[in-house]
Amino acid sequence: MVCQFANALKAQGINKGDRVIIYMPMIAEAVVAMQACARIGAIHSVVFGGFSAEALKDRIEDTAARLVITADGGHRGGKVIELKKTADVALSKGCSSVEKVIVFQRTGHDIAMQSGRDIWWHDAEQGQSQQCAAEPVNATDPLFLLYTSGSTGKPKGIQHSSGGYLLNAITTMRWVFDIQSSDVFWCTADVGWITGHTYVAYGPLATGATMIVYEGVPTVPDAGRFWDVCARHGVTIFYTAPTAIRALMKAGDEIPARYDLSKLRLLGTVGEPINPEAWMWYHTVIGESRCPIVDTWWQTETGAHMIAPVPAATVTKPGSCTQALPGIDAAVVNEQGDEITNAHQGGYLVIRKPWPSMLQTIWGDDERYKSTYWPMFDGRFYLAGDSARRDEDNYFWIMGRIDDVLNVSGHRLGTMEIESALVAHPAVAEAAVVGKPHEVKGESVFAYVVLKGERPEGGIDEAMTNELRSWVAEQIGPIAKPDEIRYSDNLPKTRSGKIMRRLLRTIAKGEEITQDTSTLENEAILLQLQGKA
Ligand code: AMP
């Protein structure tokens, strides 16, 4: 399939070094499209199917792509996602570099095809050979660009190499996932994110693994979907995000109990720190106390796992991503760049030596690359943008993004630490914490909480608030007590499951929302959070 589609791309005039935008549902053809670009040396940039026309347009223009690969639509939570329609809107707003659009027929519903520009995937492939010699590339030629948000509004096009990136994709498949030919590997991430690049499109295929590609959400038709797929296909290695684990945990233990999960042998998490309660649930209920959990810390920029356990070799601790992998020189340092060890004291997470799959630059913006990742320590260390601490065994504990670290009365507090404490309370399903400017303390702690039961009327519950305040005081210390707690049915999340903290900060301050909210999974929740519903 890859070779045939690679020939189709060549027939459309795509050459080595050309940029191709992929805006596809989570189907095997999305992986085929990525691999076909790689085969001919074209640089792909996958845009997550949940992104808006505006976001798609920005990425097309920044890459100056010549071709867009999309589908008529995709399926998500029982609904059809209008990919082609959105792509048409994006293309109507500019994108003058785009010459051709290839459209895969997925849903079969009616869409407009622009003559001379749009071509069906099956027509493009017609008559193309299934042999296509791989285009030789240098190790340092770019393999792909992937846009990620930074501390500013404009997303950065993270540029990854061909050789180094693949090397770490392969080593981490072997070391962290212990991949064997008998395994059935399932990473639930969408190819629109880095996890879907390294552990769906590249790592499993480069190691000859059998893997699952799943289009849909974990809770439709019900919260047993993941466990059903695991049981039906005999999944042995399962990799997902803490946000999904917490959502499924909330649905109750009786749901996974309906499925045969005995084939599972290894579980993984990625994307945010996993709170110990969710870790224990994952371990005992899903892993039946048999499967090691690999909590993998890494980023779009790092390309592959950096800090993670080697299963059965590293002793794990719930909530810690444990130790840096061989060859990765990770450290926690203070403002001066001096290493902090054993101290339970927070600092900057840095990488002190280059590693094969590190980003090469920000596409078209070397200056921004330098100022974002090398702004401190005389440019000696890669600044990950996370804060972390190390415990008495020198294990890493990720505290959150640097911009999510609060300073309350001169004390540093990780918002994620407070969230973890909140969700450890039996009544709490999810929590998000942000800082709110405070005259005396510098910042105060503002918490948004989703309870396991009903949302209290009007989003206020004095008694519960008092209880949670004392609870957090018990878990971390009185300094971490939320000053305010607001209750809602859900939190504002991007479709990849990341909580939009910037929005929460705006709401906490009582300011009007001016940010783009089109990438939110659940835009309607904003009214509740603002106390307007
Ligand atoms: P992304 O580039 O979108 O994958 O996001 C990377 C960021 O997610 C990191 O900088 C961390 O803040 C967070 N992250 C990823 N994996 C973990 C993990 N295992 N534990 C804690 N935080 C994580």
Side-chain angles (χ1 to χ4, degrees):
M1 286 170 82
V2 168
C3 284
Q4 192 171 11
F5 192 63
N7 284 325
L9 290 177
K10 284 207 267 191
Q12 297 302 320
I14 298 302
N15 301 308
K16 184 172 175 174
D18 285 343
R19 272 82 61 209
V20 173
I21 292 278
I22 299 176
Y23 187 60
M24 296 274 283
M26 198 42 204
I27 54 178
E29 285 76 8
V31 178
V32 169
M34 294 162 81
Q35 294 262 348
C37 288
R39 193 147 190 96
I40 64 172
I43 304 168
H44 64 68
S45 184
V46 182
V47 179
F48 175 58
F51 275 137
S52 65
E54 198 60 35
L56 178 61
K57 179 199 120 214
D58 288 347
R59 286 154 176 79
I60 293 173
E61 292 195 330
D62 199 60
T63 56
R66 293 183 60 205
L67 184 111
V68 174
I69 305 170
T70 187
D72 48 358
H75 299 286
R76 203 183 152 81
K79 291 192 220 91
V80 165
I81 306 299
E82 296 273 1
L83 293 169
K84 174 64 164 61
K85 218 172 172 177
T86 309
D88 283 341
V89 175
L91 292 167
S92 71
K93 293 180 170 196
C95 307
S96 56
S97 59
V98 174
E99 295 159 30
K100 289 278 159 67
V101 178
I102 297 183
V103 187
F104 182 78
Q105 192 167 34
R106 171 64 176 166
T107 54
H109 71 290
D110 270 349
I111 53 157
M113 294 289 277
Q114 184 176 309
S115 108
R117 185 195 72 184
D118 301 350
I119 172 168
W120 287 106
W121 175 299
H122 48 264
D123 291 335
E125 268 192 342
Q126 188 88 45
Q128 296 296 338
S129 157
Q130 290 185 353
Q131 304 293 319
C132 177
E135 179 71 30
V137 296
N138 286 323
T140 51
D141 283 344
L143 177 62
F144 66 84
L145 310 174
L146 182 60
Y147 284 79
T148 181
S149 5
S151 44
T152 68
K154 187 178 178 281
K156 308 171 278 195
I158 303 301
Q159 179 181 321
H160 276 290
S161 71
S162 299
Y165 170 80
L166 278 173
L167 175 65
N168 272 167
I170 292 169
T171 53
T172 53
M173 280 302 293
R174 294 201 176 130
W175 295 347
V176 180
F177 289 131
D178 180 38
I179 195 78
Q180 306 292 331
S181 55
S182 51
D183 281 316
V184 177
F185 179 83
W186 184 19
C187 163
T188 67
D190 191 283
V191 289
W193 314 111
I194 191 67
T195 306
H197 280 61
T198 312
Y199 301 108
V200 178
Y202 288 106
L205 292 175
T207 49
T210 301
M211 65 158 176
I212 290 189
V213 171
Y214 171 70
E215 181 189 20
V217 295
T219 46
V220 175
D222 60 47
R225 184 61 127 191
F226 276 4
W227 321 129
D228 181 26
V229 173
C230 285
R232 260 194 286 162
H233 299 286
V235 171
T236 57
I237 305 176
F238 179 70
Y239 189 38
T240 196
T243 178
I245 298 168
R246 284 196 298 267
L248 298 176
M249 179 170 81
K250 194 180 163 191
D253 294 4
E254 62 284 0
I255 296 180
R258 288 183 209 142
Y259 300 97
D260 175 10
L261 299 175
S262 62
K263 290 258 170 55
L264 285 172
R265 70 177 187 92
L266 182 61
L267 302 172
T269 78
V270 58
E272 55 180 311
I274 179 165
N275 49 300
E277 191 199 0
W279 195 101
M280 287 310 296
W281 184 82
Y282 199 30
H283 181 62
T284 53
V285 177
I286 302 307
E288 297 168 346
S289 303
R290 172 187 70 243
C291 309
I293 294 182
V294 289
D295 176 353
T296 59
W297 178 86
W298 62 298
Q299 310 175 292
T300 303
E301 293 87 343
T302 70
H305 300 154
M306 301 292 279
I307 308 178
V310 173
T314 312
V315 175
T316 52
K317 299 186 190 188
S320 167
C321 50
T322 73
Q323 307 260 27
L325 289 169
I328 304 299
D329 186 6
V332 176
V333 300
N334 64 17
E335 295 272 342
Q336 287 72 46
D338 303 322
E339 188 165 6
I340 309 171
T341 50
N342 288 351
H344 285 281
Q345 189 191 330
Y348 298 94
L349 180 60
V350 296
I351 314 293
R352 296 183 296 194
K353 286 190 189 132
W355 65 101
S357 62
M358 71 189 293
L359 76 164
Q360 295 183 295
T361 187
I362 292 173
W363 177 254
D365 200 346
D366 291 342
E367 280 312 312
R368 188 171 177 204
Y369 165 72
K370 279 188 219 160
S371 63
T372 306
Y373 301 106
W374 312 90
M376 300 172 72
F377 324 116
D378 304 323
R380 283 175 300 144
F381 307 148
Y382 166 83
L383 183 71
D386 280 0
S387 62
R389 61 185 172 81
R390 300 185 80 171
D391 67 14
E392 57 284 356
D393 298 319
N394 256 335
Y395 275 36
F396 287 89
W397 295 77
I398 308 297
M399 296 166 71
R401 297 291 305 180
I402 290 173
D403 38 12
D404 288 334
V405 171
L406 308 181
N407 192 327
V408 180
S409 306
H411 296 273
R412 289 174 63 138
L413 285 172
T415 52
M416 294 188 190
E417 256 182 316
I418 306 175
E419 288 166 14
S420 184
L422 283 168
V423 295
H425 187 280
V428 175
E430 275 207 283
V433 169
V434 295
K436 178 178 174 178
H438 188 279
E439 255 180 39
V440 180
K441 302 197 251 183
E443 270 182 312
S444 65
V445 180
F446 194 107
Y448 298 85
V449 167
V450 180
L451 294 175
K452 281 185 183 150
E454 289 290 324
R455 171 183 179 242
E457 218 179 334
I460 297 164
D461 184 341
E462 287 282 344
M464 179 56 78
T465 298
N466 287 335
E467 183 175 333
L468 291 178
R469 279 167 52 81
S470 333
W471 173 266
V472 172
E474 256 172 56
Q475 304 272 313
I476 305 173
I479 185 71
K481 270 205 291 205
D483 295 84
E484 286 171 73
I485 299 183
R486 199 165 284 172
Y487 300 89
S488 58
D489 285 328
N490 218 321
L491 296 171
K493 286 183 193 154
T494 63
R495 293 187 176 89
S496 70
K498 288 229 154 76
I499 296 167
M500 292 259 284
R501 280 159 214 285
R502 262 192 305 152
L503 269 179
L504 290 178
R505 276 194 283 268
T506 307
I507 297 170
K509 283 190 230 160
E511 291 172 359
E512 274 316 304
I513 297 170
T514 52
Q515 293 102 324
D516 174 18
T517 54
S518 68
T519 57
L520 278 185
E521 171 88 48
N522 47 358
E523 214 168 347
I525 202 70
L526 294 178
L527 286 177
Q528 237 186 43
L529 294 163
Q530 289 169 302
K532 294 182 186 166

